[in-house]
PDB file of all heavy atoms in Angstrom:
ATOM      1  N   GLY A   1      64.563 236.012  91.203  1.00 71.00           N
ATOM      2  CA  GLY A   1      64.609 237.465  91.230  1.00 71.00           C
ATOM      3  C   GLY A   1      63.903 238.140  90.075  1.00 71.00           C
ATOM      4  O   GLY A   1      63.586 239.325  90.153  1.00 71.00           O
ATOM      5  N   TYR A   2      63.652 237.397  88.974  1.00 81.00           N
ATOM      6  CA  TYR A   2      62.936 238.000  87.843  1.00 81.00           C
ATOM      7  C   TYR A   2      61.460 238.072  88.212  1.00 81.00           C
ATOM      8  O   TYR A   2      60.840 237.055  88.532  1.00 81.00           O
ATOM      9  CB  TYR A   2      63.128 237.158  86.579  1.00 81.00           C
ATOM     10  CG  TYR A   2      62.460 237.737  85.351  1.00 81.00           C
ATOM     11  CD1 TYR A   2      62.948 238.903  84.759  1.00 81.00           C
ATOM     12  CD2 TYR A   2      61.340 237.130  84.785  1.00 81.00           C
ATOM     13  CE1 TYR A   2      62.337 239.443  83.633  1.00 81.00           C
ATOM     14  CE2 TYR A   2      60.727 237.667  83.656  1.00 81.00           C
ATOM     15  CZ  TYR A   2      61.232 238.823  83.090  1.00 81.00           C
ATOM     16  OH  TYR A   2      60.618 239.354  81.979  1.00 81.00           O
ATOM     17  N   PRO A   3      60.859 239.287  88.229  1.00 87.00           N
ATOM     18  CA  PRO A   3      59.491 239.404  88.771  1.00 87.00           C
ATOM     19  C   PRO A   3      58.420 238.674  87.950  1.00 87.00           C
ATOM     20  O   PRO A   3      57.460 238.166  88.507  1.00 87.00           O
ATOM     21  CB  PRO A   3      59.234 240.915  88.803  1.00 87.00           C
ATOM     22  CG  PRO A   3      60.223 241.500  87.844  1.00 87.00           C
ATOM     23  CD  PRO A   3      61.411 240.597  87.854  1.00 87.00           C
ATOM     24  N   TYR A   4      58.604 238.633  86.624  1.00 89.00           N
ATOM     25  CA  TYR A   4      57.590 237.995  85.763  1.00 89.00           C
ATOM     26  C   TYR A   4      58.050 236.568  85.453  1.00 89.00           C
ATOM     27  O   TYR A   4      58.370 236.228  84.324  1.00 89.00           O
ATOM     28  CB  TYR A   4      57.401 238.806  84.481  1.00 89.00           C
ATOM     29  CG  TYR A   4      57.148 240.274  84.746  1.00 89.00           C
ATOM     30  CD1 TYR A   4      58.191 241.195  84.642  1.00 89.00           C
ATOM     31  CD2 TYR A   4      55.895 240.737  85.126  1.00 89.00           C
ATOM     32  CE1 TYR A   4      57.977 242.549  84.903  1.00 89.00           C
ATOM     33  CE2 TYR A   4      55.669 242.081  85.387  1.00 89.00           C
ATOM     34  CZ  TYR A   4      56.718 242.983  85.279  1.00 89.00           C
ATOM     35  OH  TYR A   4      56.496 244.313  85.537  1.00 89.00           O
ATOM     36  N   SER A   5      58.057 235.736  86.482  1.00 90.00           N
ATOM     37  CA  SER A   5      58.764 234.448  86.385  1.00 90.00           C
ATOM     38  C   SER A   5      57.877 233.283  85.947  1.00 90.00           C
ATOM     39  O   SER A   5      58.365 232.170  85.796  1.00 90.00           O
ATOM     40  CB  SER A   5      59.399 234.113  87.735  1.00 90.00           C
ATOM     41  OG  SER A   5      58.395 233.997  88.727  1.00 90.00           O
ATOM     42  N   HIS A   6      56.577 233.541  85.735  1.00 94.00           N
ATOM     43  CA  HIS A   6      55.670 232.441  85.388  1.00 94.00           C
ATOM     44  C   HIS A   6      55.206 232.546  83.934  1.00 94.00           C
ATOM     45  O   HIS A   6      54.659 233.583  83.532  1.00 94.00           O
ATOM     46  CB  HIS A   6      54.448 232.438  86.314  1.00 94.00           C
ATOM     47  CG  HIS A   6      54.813 232.193  87.738  1.00 94.00           C
ATOM     48  ND1 HIS A   6      55.017 230.934  88.252  1.00 94.00           N
ATOM     49  CD2 HIS A   6      55.041 233.066  88.761  1.00 94.00           C
ATOM     50  CE1 HIS A   6      55.343 231.035  89.525  1.00 94.00           C
ATOM     51  NE2 HIS A   6      55.363 232.312  89.863  1.00 94.00           N
ATOM     52  N   PRO A   7      55.406 231.495  83.134  1.00 95.00           N
ATOM     53  CA  PRO A   7      54.874 231.517  81.765  1.00 95.00           C
ATOM     54  C   PRO A   7      53.350 231.505  81.809  1.00 95.00           C
ATOM     55  O   PRO A   7      52.759 230.707  82.532  1.00 95.00           O
ATOM     56  CB  PRO A   7      55.425 230.225  81.150  1.00 95.00           C
ATOM     57  CG  PRO A   7      55.670 229.312  82.318  1.00 95.00           C
ATOM     58  CD  PRO A   7      56.013 230.189  83.480  1.00 95.00           C
ATOM     59  N   HIS A   8      52.706 232.391  81.073  1.00 97.00           N
ATOM     60  CA  HIS A   8      51.241 232.498  81.097  1.00 97.00           C
ATOM     61  C   HIS A   8      50.644 232.019  79.772  1.00 97.00           C
ATOM     62  O   HIS A   8      49.948 231.009  79.727  1.00 97.00           O
ATOM     63  CB  HIS A   8      50.828 233.943  81.392  1.00 97.00           C
ATOM     64  CG  HIS A   8      49.356 234.132  81.615  1.00 97.00           C
ATOM     65  ND1 HIS A   8      48.440 234.159  80.571  1.00 97.00           N
ATOM     66  CD2 HIS A   8      48.633 234.297  82.748  1.00 97.00           C
ATOM     67  CE1 HIS A   8      47.226 234.339  81.072  1.00 97.00           C
ATOM     68  NE2 HIS A   8      47.304 234.430  82.384  1.00 97.00           N
ATOM     69  N   THR A   9      50.928 232.742  78.684  1.00 97.00           N
ATOM     70  CA  THR A   9      50.351 232.394  77.381  1.00 97.00           C
ATOM     71  C   THR A   9      51.383 232.590  76.274  1.00 97.00           C
ATOM     72  O   THR A   9      52.070 233.608  76.228  1.00 97.00           O
ATOM     73  CB  THR A   9      49.111 233.264  77.076  1.00 97.00           C
ATOM     74  OG1 THR A   9      48.166 233.123  78.135  1.00 97.00           O
ATOM     75  CG2 THR A   9      48.451 232.842  75.763  1.00 97.00           C
ATOM     76  N   LEU A  10      51.455 231.590  75.389  1.00 96.00           N
ATOM     77  CA  LEU A  10      52.290 231.663  74.187  1.00 96.00           C
ATOM     78  C   LEU A  10      51.418 232.086  73.015  1.00 96.00           C
ATOM     79  O   LEU A  10      50.303 231.582  72.856  1.00 96.00           O
ATOM     80  CB  LEU A  10      52.866 230.283  73.867  1.00 96.00           C
ATOM     81  CG  LEU A  10      54.036 229.799  74.692  1.00 96.00           C
ATOM     82  CD1 LEU A  10      54.105 228.284  74.591  1.00 96.00           C
ATOM     83  CD2 LEU A  10      55.319 230.409  74.180  1.00 96.00           C
ATOM     84  N   PHE A  11      51.935 232.996  72.186  1.00 97.00           N
ATOM     85  CA  PHE A  11      51.216 233.431  70.993  1.00 97.00           C
ATOM     86  C   PHE A  11      52.037 233.083  69.765  1.00 97.00           C
ATOM     87  O   PHE A  11      53.203 233.480  69.664  1.00 97.00           O
ATOM     88  CB  PHE A  11      50.961 234.943  71.041  1.00 97.00           C
ATOM     89  CG  PHE A  11      50.096 235.382  72.192  1.00 97.00           C
ATOM     90  CD1 PHE A  11      50.663 235.862  73.359  1.00 97.00           C
ATOM     91  CD2 PHE A  11      48.711 235.306  72.113  1.00 97.00           C
ATOM     92  CE1 PHE A  11      49.873 236.271  74.437  1.00 97.00           C
ATOM     93  CE2 PHE A  11      47.905 235.700  73.169  1.00 97.00           C
ATOM     94  CZ  PHE A  11      48.487 236.187  74.329  1.00 97.00           C
ATOM     95  N   PHE A  12      51.428 232.339  68.841  1.00 95.00           N
ATOM     96  CA  PHE A  12      52.091 231.971  67.588  1.00 95.00           C
ATOM     97  C   PHE A  12      51.388 232.652  66.432  1.00 95.00           C
ATOM     98  O   PHE A  12      50.188 232.435  66.213  1.00 95.00           O
ATOM     99  CB  PHE A  12      52.059 230.456  67.392  1.00 95.00           C
ATOM    100  CG  PHE A  12      52.952 229.720  68.349  1.00 95.00           C
ATOM    101  CD1 PHE A  12      52.431 229.157  69.505  1.00 95.00           C
ATOM    102  CD2 PHE A  12      54.307 229.601  68.099  1.00 95.00           C
ATOM    103  CE1 PHE A  12      53.257 228.496  70.401  1.00 95.00           C
ATOM    104  CE2 PHE A  12      55.136 228.926  68.978  1.00 95.00           C
ATOM    105  CZ  PHE A  12      54.618 228.377  70.130  1.00 95.00           C
ATOM    106  N   LEU A  13      52.133 233.494  65.689  1.00 95.00           N
ATOM    107  CA  LEU A  13      51.576 234.200  64.540  1.00 95.00           C
ATOM    108  C   LEU A  13      52.081 233.532  63.272  1.00 95.00           C
ATOM    109  O   LEU A  13      53.270 233.583  62.963  1.00 95.00           O
ATOM    110  CB  LEU A  13      51.994 235.672  64.570  1.00 95.00           C
ATOM    111  CG  LEU A  13      51.744 236.439  65.887  1.00 95.00           C
ATOM    112  CD1 LEU A  13      52.130 237.902  65.722  1.00 95.00           C
ATOM    113  CD2 LEU A  13      50.302 236.303  66.353  1.00 95.00           C
ATOM    114  N   GLU A  14      51.173 232.877  62.563  1.00 91.00           N
ATOM    115  CA  GLU A  14      51.527 232.225  61.299  1.00 91.00           C
ATOM    116  C   GLU A  14      51.313 233.230  60.186  1.00 91.00           C
ATOM    117  O   GLU A  14      50.272 233.260  59.540  1.00 91.00           O
ATOM    118  CB  GLU A  14      50.654 230.978  61.097  1.00 91.00           C
ATOM    119  CG  GLU A  14      51.106 229.787  61.905  1.00 91.00           C
ATOM    120  CD  GLU A  14      52.519 229.356  61.546  1.00 91.00           C
ATOM    121  OE1 GLU A  14      52.787 229.115  60.354  1.00 91.00           O
ATOM    122  OE2 GLU A  14      53.362 229.272  62.455  1.00 91.00           O
ATOM    123  N   SER A  15      52.331 234.078  59.967  1.00 86.00           N
ATOM    124  CA  SER A  15      52.111 235.244  59.110  1.00 86.00           C
ATOM    125  C   SER A  15      52.854 235.183  57.774  1.00 86.00           C
ATOM    126  O   SER A  15      52.954 236.204  57.094  1.00 86.00           O
ATOM    127  CB  SER A  15      52.500 236.521  59.870  1.00 86.00           C
ATOM    128  OG  SER A  15      53.799 236.404  60.400  1.00 86.00           O
ATOM    129  N   ALA A  16      53.359 234.011  57.391  1.00 86.00           N
ATOM    130  CA  ALA A  16      54.014 233.901  56.077  1.00 86.00           C
ATOM    131  C   ALA A  16      52.988 234.138  54.970  1.00 86.00           C
ATOM    132  O   ALA A  16      51.853 233.650  55.034  1.00 86.00           O
ATOM    133  CB  ALA A  16      54.653 232.528  55.918  1.00 86.00           C
ATOM    134  N   ASN A  17      53.378 234.892  53.948  1.00 84.00           N
ATOM    135  CA  ASN A  17      52.446 235.218  52.857  1.00 84.00           C
ATOM    136  C   ASN A  17      52.075 233.994  52.033  1.00 84.00           C
ATOM    137  O   ASN A  17      50.929 233.839  51.596  1.00 84.00           O
ATOM    138  CB  ASN A  17      53.080 236.264  51.925  1.00 84.00           C
ATOM    139  CG  ASN A  17      53.165 237.614  52.588  1.00 84.00           C
ATOM    140  OD1 ASN A  17      52.276 237.981  53.332  1.00 84.00           O
ATOM    141  ND2 ASN A  17      54.240 238.348  52.339  1.00 84.00           N
ATOM    142  N   ILE A  18      53.049 233.124  51.793  1.00 84.00           N
ATOM    143  CA  ILE A  18      52.834 231.966  50.917  1.00 84.00           C
ATOM    144  C   ILE A  18      52.347 230.787  51.744  1.00 84.00           C
ATOM    145  O   ILE A  18      52.967 230.429  52.753  1.00 84.00           O
ATOM    146  CB  ILE A  18      54.143 231.595  50.181  1.00 84.00           C
ATOM    147  CG1 ILE A  18      54.706 232.830  49.452  1.00 84.00           C
ATOM    148  CG2 ILE A  18      53.935 230.453  49.202  1.00 84.00           C
ATOM    149  CD1 ILE A  18      56.142 232.680  49.014  1.00 84.00           C
ATOM    150  N   ARG A  19      51.240 230.183  51.310  1.00 82.00           N
ATOM    151  CA  ARG A  19      50.605 229.115  52.081  1.00 82.00           C
ATOM    152  C   ARG A  19      51.556 227.970  52.454  1.00 82.00           C
ATOM    153  O   ARG A  19      51.546 227.521  53.608  1.00 82.00           O
ATOM    154  CB  ARG A  19      49.377 228.570  51.331  1.00 82.00           C
ATOM    155  CG  ARG A  19      48.590 227.536  52.120  1.00 82.00           C
ATOM    156  CD  ARG A  19      47.398 227.032  51.314  1.00 82.00           C
ATOM    157  NE  ARG A  19      46.362 228.056  51.179  1.00 82.00           N
ATOM    158  CZ  ARG A  19      45.398 228.257  52.068  1.00 82.00           C
ATOM    159  NH1 ARG A  19      45.339 227.514  53.157  1.00 82.00           N
ATOM    160  NH2 ARG A  19      44.491 229.181  51.868  1.00 82.00           N
ATOM    161  N   PRO A  20      52.411 227.467  51.528  1.00 82.00           N
ATOM    162  CA  PRO A  20      53.301 226.357  51.910  1.00 82.00           C
ATOM    163  C   PRO A  20      54.270 226.705  53.044  1.00 82.00           C
ATOM    164  O   PRO A  20      54.794 225.806  53.709  1.00 82.00           O
ATOM    165  CB  PRO A  20      54.069 226.049  50.613  1.00 82.00           C
ATOM    166  CG  PRO A  20      53.220 226.579  49.521  1.00 82.00           C
ATOM    167  CD  PRO A  20      52.528 227.783  50.091  1.00 82.00           C
ATOM    168  N   ASN A  21      54.505 227.992  53.258  1.00 83.00           N
ATOM    169  CA  ASN A  21      55.417 228.417  54.327  1.00 83.00           C
ATOM    170  C   ASN A  21      54.723 228.575  55.679  1.00 83.00           C
ATOM    171  O   ASN A  21      55.376 228.882  56.674  1.00 83.00           O
ATOM    172  CB  ASN A  21      56.106 229.739  53.958  1.00 83.00           C
ATOM    173  CG  ASN A  21      57.039 229.578  52.779  1.00 83.00           C
ATOM    174  OD1 ASN A  21      57.371 228.464  52.396  1.00 83.00           O
ATOM    175  ND2 ASN A  21      57.461 230.698  52.195  1.00 83.00           N
ATOM    176  N   ARG A  22      53.396 228.396  55.684  1.00 84.00           N
ATOM    177  CA  ARG A  22      52.657 228.473  56.946  1.00 84.00           C
ATOM    178  C   ARG A  22      52.328 227.075  57.437  1.00 84.00           C
ATOM    179  O   ARG A  22      52.100 226.158  56.651  1.00 84.00           O
ATOM    180  CB  ARG A  22      51.341 229.247  56.769  1.00 84.00           C
ATOM    181  CG  ARG A  22      51.507 230.709  56.452  1.00 84.00           C
ATOM    182  CD  ARG A  22      50.201 231.473  56.674  1.00 84.00           C
ATOM    183  NE  ARG A  22      49.086 231.035  55.866  1.00 84.00           N
ATOM    184  CZ  ARG A  22      48.823 231.454  54.633  1.00 84.00           C
ATOM    185  NH1 ARG A  22      49.640 232.301  54.036  1.00 84.00           N
ATOM    186  NH2 ARG A  22      47.770 231.016  53.977  1.00 84.00           N
ATOM    187  N   PHE A  23      52.279 226.916  58.755  1.00 84.00           N
ATOM    188  CA  PHE A  23      51.812 225.660  59.325  1.00 84.00           C
ATOM    189  C   PHE A  23      50.324 225.504  59.038  1.00 84.00           C
ATOM    190  O   PHE A  23      49.559 226.459  59.193  1.00 84.00           O
ATOM    191  CB  PHE A  23      52.016 225.655  60.844  1.00 84.00           C
ATOM    192  CG  PHE A  23      53.400 225.255  61.279  1.00 84.00           C
ATOM    193  CD1 PHE A  23      54.462 226.142  61.194  1.00 84.00           C
ATOM    194  CD2 PHE A  23      53.640 223.988  61.780  1.00 84.00           C
ATOM    195  CE1 PHE A  23      55.726 225.779  61.588  1.00 84.00           C
ATOM    196  CE2 PHE A  23      54.900 223.608  62.186  1.00 84.00           C
ATOM    197  CZ  PHE A  23      55.959 224.503  62.090  1.00 84.00           C
ATOM    198  N   ARG A  24      49.909 224.316  58.636  1.00 90.00           N
ATOM    199  CA  ARG A  24      48.483 224.029  58.547  1.00 90.00           C
ATOM    200  C   ARG A  24      47.916 223.999  59.967  1.00 90.00           C
ATOM    201  O   ARG A  24      48.658 223.743  60.927  1.00 90.00           O
ATOM    202  CB  ARG A  24      48.245 222.685  57.842  1.00 90.00           C
ATOM    203  CG  ARG A  24      48.692 222.682  56.390  1.00 90.00           C
ATOM    204  CD  ARG A  24      48.204 221.436  55.650  1.00 90.00           C
ATOM    205  NE  ARG A  24      48.609 220.195  56.302  1.00 90.00           N
ATOM    206  CZ  ARG A  24      49.805 219.631  56.172  1.00 90.00           C
ATOM    207  NH1 ARG A  24      50.742 220.211  55.432  1.00 90.00           N
ATOM    208  NH2 ARG A  24      50.088 218.496  56.785  1.00 90.00           N
ATOM    209  N   PRO A  25      46.600 224.238  60.140  1.00 93.00           N
ATOM    210  CA  PRO A  25      46.052 224.320  61.503  1.00 93.00           C
ATOM    211  C   PRO A  25      46.415 223.131  62.396  1.00 93.00           C
ATOM    212  O   PRO A  25      46.783 223.324  63.559  1.00 93.00           O
ATOM    213  CB  PRO A  25      44.535 224.401  61.260  1.00 93.00           C
ATOM    214  CG  PRO A  25      44.414 225.101  59.941  1.00 93.00           C
ATOM    215  CD  PRO A  25      45.580 224.596  59.131  1.00 93.00           C
ATOM    216  N   GLU A  26      46.350 221.914  61.873  1.00 93.00           N
ATOM    217  CA  GLU A  26      46.663 220.739  62.698  1.00 93.00           C
ATOM    218  C   GLU A  26      48.126 220.749  63.140  1.00 93.00           C
ATOM    219  O   GLU A  26      48.451 220.445  64.287  1.00 93.00           O
ATOM    220  CB  GLU A  26      46.335 219.456  61.926  1.00 93.00           C
ATOM    221  CG  GLU A  26      46.689 218.160  62.654  1.00 93.00           C
ATOM    222  CD  GLU A  26      45.912 217.931  63.947  1.00 93.00           C
ATOM    223  OE1 GLU A  26      44.881 218.615  64.185  1.00 93.00           O
ATOM    224  OE2 GLU A  26      46.330 217.061  64.729  1.00 93.00           O
ATOM    225  N   GLN A  27      49.033 221.111  62.219  1.00 91.00           N
ATOM    226  CA  GLN A  27      50.453 221.173  62.575  1.00 91.00           C
ATOM    227  C   GLN A  27      50.735 222.334  63.537  1.00 91.00           C
ATOM    228  O   GLN A  27      51.570 222.230  64.425  1.00 91.00           O
ATOM    229  CB  GLN A  27      51.313 221.323  61.310  1.00 91.00           C
ATOM    230  CG  GLN A  27      51.727 220.006  60.665  1.00 91.00           C
ATOM    231  CD  GLN A  27      50.535 219.175  60.211  1.00 91.00           C
ATOM    232  OE1 GLN A  27      49.627 219.700  59.581  1.00 91.00           O
ATOM    233  NE2 GLN A  27      50.527 217.891  60.522  1.00 91.00           N
TER     234      GLN A  27
END
């Protein structure tokens, strides 16, 4: 019954200011 029932695209924003708190590109 939910009309938008298909997953299309996931968006991940790596927006932590401090580098160690962000995922490296490979991770």
